[in-house]
């Protein structure tokens, strides 16, 4: 799952990114309201954590304008403002939740999980492809009842393949969804991670689940 963080204070933005990545989410960071708004309009995020005081366009306006454009991504407003009227303003702008700084990491994580339950993929708390089960809430993978230990990027890769089981996904599609638009490395990274996931699935007793679609990319099958 991919989460957008819109926060202009670099230290806080980096802390949020690392906190979420430790929980195996893919994270993009925007450091001003305009950039955050443009990213949110793409509709490729499962949730967004948005600060209120931002350069260019504040968090309230960002949320309100995105909702006016039909963006349904769940939004958590994160701010130092704790007045009731500010909370009401944020919720009226279209935010789904509101958390005041300073916050406890465990509470933020719980609120993000709650947001993700409202996201389209969260209508399926697990993705099942044959005896392969990807648990989106617990961020775990099991095959025929056996745990498959995956790193954060490996999990996101398998999650994306499982969510599109049977479809041929190009390397470009996988790069955009798993690594993000700002990734400037080689597309060979997809091949490296696919090989790693294949090895771990095979070690759990499942071979040939991810097939190579020559000239395109990869596909996952039951």
């Amino acid at each position: 799952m991919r989460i957008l963080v819109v926060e202009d204070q670099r230290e806080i933005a980096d802390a949020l990114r690392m906190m979420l990545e430790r929980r195996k989410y893919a994270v993009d960071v925007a450091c001003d309201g305009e950039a955050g708004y443009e990213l949110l309009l793409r509709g490729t995020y499962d949730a967004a954590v948005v600060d209120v005081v931002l350069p260019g366009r504040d968090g309230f306006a960002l949320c309100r304008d995105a909702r006016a454009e039909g963006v349904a991504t769940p939004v958590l407003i994160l701010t130092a403002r704790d007045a009731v009227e500010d909370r009401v303003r944020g919720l009226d702008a279209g935010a789904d939740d509101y958390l005041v700084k300073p916050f406890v990491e465990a509470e933020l994580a719980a609120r993000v999980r709650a947001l993700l339950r409202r996201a389209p993929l969260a209508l399926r708390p697990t993705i099942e492809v044959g005896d392969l089960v990807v648990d989106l809430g617990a961020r775990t993978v099991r095959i025929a009842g056996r745990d498959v230990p995956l790193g954060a990027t490996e999990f996101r890769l398998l999650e994306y393949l499982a969510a599109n089981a049977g479809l041929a996904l190009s390397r470009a599609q996988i790069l955009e969804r798993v690594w993000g638009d700002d990734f400037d490395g080689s597309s060979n990274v997809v091949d490296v991670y696919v090989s790693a996931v294949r090895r771990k699935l095979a070690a759990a007793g499942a071979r040939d689940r991810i097939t190579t679609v020559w000239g395109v990319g990869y596909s996952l099958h039951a």
Side-chain angles (χ1 to χ4, degrees):
M1 290 186 175
R2 183 168 294 279
I3 298 175
L4 173 65
V5 171
V6 188
E7 168 62 66
D8 65 318
Q9 297 185 49
R10 175 53 62 182
E11 290 185 2
I12 296 177
D14 288 343
L16 286 167
R17 176 181 54 77
M18 290 187 290
M19 184 187 310
L20 293 166
E21 287 180 343
R22 282 198 298 271
R23 288 167 169 79
K24 301 185 180 179
Y25 300 117
V27 182
D28 290 336
V29 175
C31 295
D32 64 74
E34 292 300 331
Y37 175 68
E38 292 299 325
L39 287 173
L40 198 57
L41 285 184
R42 298 183 184 181
T44 59
Y45 295 98
D46 300 290
V49 178
V50 179
D51 188 27
V52 168
V53 181
L54 296 167
R57 188 191 305 248
D58 69 29
F60 295 144
L62 186 157
C63 189
R64 182 183 61 249
D65 296 345
R67 295 295 186 237
E69 291 295 328
V71 174
T73 302
V75 175
L76 169 66
I77 291 286
L78 183 66
T79 181
R81 298 180 179 180
D82 60 356
V84 172
E85 54 268 28
D86 286 323
R87 301 184 191 187
V88 171
R89 184 181 175 193
L91 295 172
D92 284 345
D96 297 88
D97 200 358
Y98 196 107
L99 184 61
V100 177
K101 302 175 186 176
F103 55 85
V104 177
E105 179 175 337
E107 181 180 5
L108 175 66
R111 288 176 181 266
V112 168
R113 289 196 300 270
L115 287 184
L116 293 173
R117 287 196 290 270
R118 306 173 194 179
L121 268 181
L123 294 175
R124 294 185 295 169
T126 62
I127 302 174
E128 298 184 18
V129 184
D131 56 359
L132 172 69
V133 180
V134 181
D135 190 317
L136 303 180
R139 315 297 286 171
T140 59
V141 173
R142 293 176 68 83
I143 186 83
R146 299 180 62 183
D147 291 328
V148 182
L150 297 178
T153 303
E154 293 169 344
F155 180 89
R156 295 196 300 269
L157 171 61
L158 185 59
E159 174 192 358
Y160 183 49
L161 290 171
N164 296 277
L167 299 179
L169 301 173
S170 69
R171 289 175 178 81
Q173 287 175 305
I174 295 171
L175 275 174
E176 179 179 357
R177 182 63 180 182
V178 178
W179 279 268
D181 291 336
D182 56 351
F183 179 75
D184 58 2
S186 169
S187 63
N188 287 342
V189 70
V190 175
D191 304 325
V192 172
Y193 273 86
V194 166
S195 295
V197 173
R198 278 173 166 165
R199 286 195 300 271
K200 291 186 177 183
L201 290 175
R207 296 183 180 276
D208 303 322
R209 293 301 177 88
I210 302 175
T211 60
T212 300
V213 182
W214 297 107
V216 181
Y218 298 98
S219 180
L220 184 139
H221 300 275

